[in-house]
Amino acid sequence: MPRNTRTTVFLVAAAVLAAAFTWACTGLPRFGTDTHPYGDRAVRAALAHRTANVVSAINFDQRALDTLGEESILFAAVLGAVVLLRRARDEDRADPEPRRVLPSTRLLGAALLPVTVLVGVYVVAHGQLSPGGGFQGGVVLATGLHLAYVAADYRVLRRVRPLAVFGALDATGAGAFTALGLAGLIAGGSYLENVLPLGTFNQLTSGGTVPLVNAAVGVEVASGVIVLLAQFLDQAVEITSPGHAGPVQNTGGGAPDDPPEAS
């Protein structure tokens, strides 16, 4: 297709989209008013399904299909990174050497690691009750694990980060979200319809399918971020190009010129 034709098609499509968007915006409530039709409906629906956190009710109940699409995008991004960053035939894998880490850094990282993981679990588990949820808690969990890299070195991170396990968990979390949608179809409703017992308001077991979907997202996000970061760290720390002399030197929090810590 000639460039002028492509430009014309783009401009026409952009004009139609801009006109449709402008027309849709004219039906929105004015800024600063007390009229919030969508918000009022969302709150009523959340309370009807006994989900205290309205944002989680929207993400994992009222518009769960949209969230499934977002989770699928993350899964595809992780899969793409694994494929694109895999070791090429002309690349070698070097054994990283340990580096000296300040005792204060080691102590702080060792103390924060369990606390960060605990906070991540709490954020995921209470996603239907308070601000947070699977996306936020999953990132916190992945961050907590990588404190092992900051406080020690890359070899310690490798020992506590079995990629095969986390890769399987990533796929399991994404598959669990998809499978939970079948509960609505089995019950005679629609896909991802909230059909499980709603429980007692403001309790961990409230919200029907919301806590289960939220947990599946937490597992998928945490595992996906861990696998994604692993690909970039492997490239930076372990993979060497042809002609590179010796193993990668800097693998932790120490400066490149620091001498190795005595064993």
Side-chain angles (χ1 to χ4, degrees):
M1 182 183 294
R3 182 175 181 179
N4 291 338
T5 304
R6 293 199 305 269
T7 303
T8 302
V9 171
F10 168 76
L11 292 176
V12 172
V16 172
L17 181 61
F21 181 76
T22 302
W23 176 75
C25 289
T26 59
L28 294 175
R30 295 176 56 188
F31 287 106
T33 66
D34 296 330
T35 304
H36 304 285
Y38 182 81
D40 295 339
R41 290 181 174 88
V43 172
R44 285 198 298 269
L47 294 177
H49 283 179
R50 299 170 195 170
T51 308
N53 184 4
V54 178
V55 175
S56 290
I58 295 172
N59 289 338
F60 306 124
D61 188 359
Q62 301 172 38
R63 299 183 62 180
L65 193 61
D66 292 351
T67 305
L68 178 59
E70 296 168 3
E71 188 188 47
S72 300
I73 292 173
L74 175 61
F75 182 76
V78 174
L79 183 61
V82 171
V83 173
L84 293 175
L85 297 178
R86 69 189 187 278
R87 183 159 62 102
R89 296 178 180 177
D90 61 343
E91 292 178 332
D92 299 320
R93 185 177 295 277
D95 189 20
E97 293 182 356
R99 302 298 294 177
R100 185 176 67 86
V101 179
L102 293 175
S104 56
T105 303
R106 189 184 300 275
L107 177 61
L108 182 63
L112 287 179
L113 194 155
V115 174
T116 306
V117 172
L118 181 61
V119 170
V121 172
Y122 179 90
V123 172
V124 173
H126 291 75
Q128 73 275 15
L129 304 179
S130 57
F135 286 102
Q136 298 86 342
V139 174
V140 174
L141 286 171
T143 302
L145 182 65
H146 283 84
L147 286 173
Y149 174 63
V150 176
D153 61 24
Y154 186 72
R155 299 178 305 166
V156 174
L157 176 62
R158 278 194 313 194
R159 288 198 293 268
V160 300
R161 186 206 61 189
L163 284 184
V165 174
F166 284 108
L169 287 175
D170 185 21
T172 300
F177 193 158
T178 305
L180 283 169
L182 298 176
L185 295 177
I186 295 173
S190 58
Y191 186 75
L192 281 173
E193 183 176 347
N194 194 340
V195 294
L196 295 182
L198 300 176
T200 303
F201 183 79
N202 214 27
Q203 299 295 318
L204 280 177
T205 55
S206 63
T209 60
V210 172
L212 298 179
V213 173
N214 180 56
V217 170
V219 171
E220 199 272 335
V221 170
S223 304
V225 172
I226 290 171
V227 173
L228 186 63
L229 289 178
Q231 305 308 313
F232 290 102
L233 285 174
D234 285 351
Q235 287 285 327
V237 176
E238 290 193 78
I239 303 300
T240 60
S241 301
H244 186 279
V248 178
Q249 297 295 317
N250 193 24
T251 65
D257 296 329
D258 291 339
E261 187 176 51
S263 57

